[in-house]
Amino acid sequence: MISFGTLSLLLFILAVVFVFKTINVVPQQHAWVVERLGKYHATLGPGLNIVVPFVDRVAYKHVLKEIPLDVPPQVCITRDNTQLQVDGILYFQVTDPMRASYGSSNYLAAITQLAQTTLRSVIGKMELDKTFEERDHINTAIVNAIDESAANWGVKVLRYEIKDLTPPKEILHAMQAQITAEREKRALIAASEGRQQEQINIASGERQASIARSEGEKQAAINRAEGQAAAILSIATATAEALRRTAGAIREPGGLDAVNLKVAEQYVNAFSNLAKTNNSIIVPANLSDISGMIASAMKVVNFQQKPPSGA
């Protein structure tokens, strides 16, 4: 027979097992699916949960966090019949634990396969150059296509990112040659534009310098003309003032005698200077011409002094 101590030990073990089977602690951001007698019963949320031992069992455990899923690389054919190896990464999240448990036998494999087939379809509609330029369009198209189907699996596809696009080596060499040619073309264009701008700047500078020189010459000519005009005006003013003073001096007593004497001196000096220019001595044929010249000069002076008749 079983002793009382052994029976107590068995009951204690059964009690511990019963407690462990009854109490379940679910971590944060997790969800456990419970089946009762093989049929879906409930979804346990984070915290302390109680189930019926030996009747209920935790069939599936899901993580509700955002999960990155690496999509294996595959070869895609572009619209211009170029092979392109593409690999990416998919981010998804379980939103319905019950559907994630019973909607698909393996939703991870289903999402991966759907991402690959959708990627091949999207790449096949584009040319090679467009695949590098429109990564955002490819990512959006894949997310929209997968998310529509993944809703039946209790999964929400958040985003898809292409990690790498690898064309064949021949295409890479051709693309590199094209890039080099484009850069050389841009360099030549930049150099020609620089030379063109340099010529424009030089021509503009020469034009400005020519205008500045012409303006300077113009101002200099104006200044010379104004100086000459001022000089002529000053000479004329001085001459007029001298004539006025001479006329005033003649009108004074003894002025005519001084004029006679001055005219005679200038006449004699003129003959004297003329005689010095040659080796011969020049003497007037008629010495009375001196007195005649003086008399003629005095008539002019007397005529200028007399007012006109009728004045």
Side-chain angles (χ1 to χ4, degrees), residues 85-226:
Q85 184 173 339
V86 186
D87 61 339
I89 185 168
L90 185 69
Y91 297 88
F92 71 95
Q93 186 177 20
V94 176
T95 56
D96 190 342
M98 191 272 288
R99 288 191 176 184
S101 301
Y102 304 104
S104 174
S105 60
N106 189 343
Y107 64 85
L108 293 177
I111 293 175
T112 303
Q113 293 297 322
L114 186 57
Q116 289 181 322
T117 55
T118 305
L119 179 63
R120 286 196 295 267
S121 176
V122 174
I123 294 295
K125 297 177 182 178
M126 296 182 178
E127 296 181 354
L128 178 62
D129 294 337
K130 292 294 183 181
T131 58
F132 296 97
E133 299 174 1
E134 300 186 2
R135 285 197 176 192
D136 293 339
H137 172 70
I138 297 174
N139 297 337
T140 303
I142 294 175
V143 169
N144 294 334
I146 298 176
D147 192 50
E148 183 178 355
S149 300
N152 297 325
W153 306 330
V155 176
K156 173 68 177 177
V157 178
L158 302 177
R159 60 188 179 277
Y160 179 85
E161 297 291 340
I162 295 178
K163 292 195 298 183
D164 194 14
L165 294 171
T166 307
K169 294 182 179 180
E170 296 79 7
I171 301 298
L172 285 176
H173 292 322
M175 293 174 64
Q176 186 63 39
Q178 182 181 3
I179 292 174
T180 303
E182 287 292 333
R183 290 178 178 175
E184 292 177 352
K185 175 183 176 182
R186 287 196 296 267
L188 292 175
I189 292 174
S192 63
E193 290 178 351
R195 289 193 296 269
Q196 179 184 5
Q197 189 62 40
E198 179 185 4
Q199 295 298 324
I200 292 174
N201 293 339
I202 292 175
S204 178
E206 292 177 351
R207 177 175 174 272
Q208 295 296 330
S210 177
I211 293 174
R213 285 194 298 270
S214 64
E215 290 291 336
E217 292 173 357
K218 174 183 175 183
Q219 190 62 39
I222 292 173
N223 294 338
R224 286 195 298 271
E226 291 179 351

